[in-house]
Amino acid sequence: TEPARRIVYDAADETPACNGLLRPVERWPFVPSDEREREARCGEILAIQASGLATRLLHAGFTQAVIGLSGGLDSALALLVTLDAFAQAGLNKSGIHAVTMPGFGTTRHTLRNAELLCGGLGLSLERIDITAASRQHLADIGHSGAAHDTAYENAQARERTQVLMDRANMLGALVVGTGDLSELALGWCTYNGDHMSMYGVNSGVPKTLVRHLISWYAETRAGKLTAEALREILSTPVSPELLPADSAGRIAQKTEETLGPYDLHDFFLYQFLRCGAASEKIRFLAKIAFAGMYAEEVIDRALNVFKQRFFS
């Protein structure tokens, strides 16, 4: 054997600075940039979601489904998926029971969104106000209702889930979950509340893709009234609406003001889960991808939020 050799190499003075890339970095990696490919992908994803739910309905013998409709993005997509699933399973869409449950922070705008969407799709919408029940529960546990803390918010989310589950028991129905992949990754849901369902159709779909799916549906498949409702939903700020509206009756609690933009979080999620990229590489790529769109301090703050929430 050859004698052992020791090679000493100090690269400190020779490592070149990396200031850019020759290849482009996609801002929305979950969404194809090519329009034709994006349309095909949207159709395929909706078909996968609907087929999964249809299979579950048939396997478990359900002919009825209950879904909470907030007037926001996720529940809108879940309702569209449920409609397709019922068609695939050969079930009458009258078995879809959409329920809207206004609480302390619900605005007239989102209620109207839910009404318009169901009207366009030819579905009935049941309204169950959870305000009194939530107030009673808070009083029962010794909460004044004046402090807008975590208990104040989560009491409403859990009350909504209880309503949906119990309503489903009455009807012999399956509860369709609405939460998306981005929310699950960030823990932006209420434990024992909206994180629970009997089948979560959006659990593999990130928020940026939810937006594109709804936009695609509005442009290619929806009738006039449904398309109008979906466009209104797309223009509505993302919010759980668990805190009271502002003095003008508008949404005061905006998710992206707390977490940072979902554009960034979905970018981080893709680079981390799909590519296994480390934090510094994710930051480097994000600052290239979102140059001119988000300031570096916005990217840094959002990445810190992502790491803290994802790993905890």
Side-chain angles (χ1 to χ4, degrees):
T1 59
E2 295 184 7
R5 294 183 300 156
R6 175 175 293 181
I7 299 173
V8 178
Y9 176 67
D10 184 0
D13 297 327
E14 298 183 32
T15 303
C18 186
N19 297 316
L21 291 177
L22 295 177
R23 63 178 174 88
V25 181
E26 294 283 352
R27 283 181 176 174
W28 300 287
F30 287 109
V31 183
S33 55
D34 179 79
E35 185 176 351
R36 185 174 297 179
E37 184 184 352
R38 184 168 62 247
E39 288 186 5
R41 182 79 59 83
C42 286
E44 182 180 15
I45 289 168
L46 194 70
I48 290 169
Q49 290 178 275
S51 294
L53 178 57
T55 301
R56 174 54 50 189
L57 288 165
L58 292 171
H59 175 76
F62 284 110
T63 60
Q64 313 278 318
V66 170
I67 180 169
L69 202 61
S70 68
L73 289 166
D74 293 338
S75 62
L77 177 59
L79 185 62
L80 298 176
V81 169
T82 303
L83 195 63
D84 276 11
F86 266 63
Q88 284 190 32
L91 301 173
N92 194 305
K93 70 178 183 180
S94 63
I96 300 173
H97 303 271
V99 184
T100 190
M101 296 165 283
F104 301 142
T106 304
T107 60
R108 179 59 197 157
H109 180 76
T110 49
L111 272 176
R112 181 64 176 155
N113 286 350
E115 291 166 356
L116 281 173
L117 183 58
C118 283
L121 295 172
L123 299 170
S124 60
L125 178 64
E126 184 178 5
R127 178 171 173 170
I128 301 175
D129 195 308
I130 64 161
T131 306
S134 298
R135 283 203 183 106
Q136 181 62 56
H137 171 69
L138 290 172
D140 290 344
I141 63 173
H143 191 290
S144 68
H148 297 164
D149 55 10
T150 305
Y152 176 92
E153 294 188 50
N154 286 349
Q156 298 167 78
R158 294 188 178 111
E159 178 61 27
R160 287 187 173 117
T161 299
Q162 176 170 271
V163 167
L164 294 174
M165 291 289 184
D166 292 347
R167 194 77 184 91
N169 289 162
M170 291 173 65
L171 296 165
L174 176 145
V175 176
V176 178
T178 63
D180 64 51
L181 177 63
S182 305
E183 292 178 340
L184 294 171
L186 295 168
W188 192 252
C189 52
T190 298
Y191 191 71
N192 204 33
D194 58 327
H195 98 287
M196 294 171 54
S197 68
M198 296 172 185
Y199 195 89
V201 293
N202 295 335
S203 60
V205 185
K207 183 76 77 177
T208 49
L209 187 52
V210 171
R211 291 184 192 277
H212 280 83
L213 284 165
I214 289 177
S215 178
W216 165 81
Y217 195 100
E219 296 300 322
T220 64
R221 288 192 51 186
K224 183 178 179 181
L225 289 177
T226 302
E228 178 187 344
L230 293 175
R231 292 189 189 102
E232 279 295 319
I233 289 167
L234 285 165
S235 68
T236 302
V238 178
S239 172
E241 289 194 308
L242 297 174
L243 295 178
D246 65 17
S247 58
R250 296 184 299 254
I251 293 172
Q253 184 185 22
K254 298 176 182 177
T255 298
E256 290 178 295
E257 289 181 359
T258 302
L259 297 179
Y262 272 116
D263 290 332
L264 291 174
H265 285 299
D266 284 358
F267 182 88
F268 302 153
L269 192 63
Y270 182 92
Q271 298 298 335
F272 177 69
L273 288 182
R274 291 281 184 88
C275 307
S279 177
E280 283 307 310
K281 182 174 181 180
I282 293 174
R283 178 181 285 108
F284 172 75
L285 293 173
K287 288 179 179 179
I288 294 172
F290 293 97
M293 183 173 178
Y294 295 119
E296 290 192 4
E297 56 267 26
V298 174
I299 294 172
D300 287 339
R301 177 184 174 275
L303 183 56
N304 287 333
V305 170
F306 174 82
K307 290 189 293 185
Q308 188 274 325
R309 295 191 70 95
F310 184 88
F311 287 104
S312 64

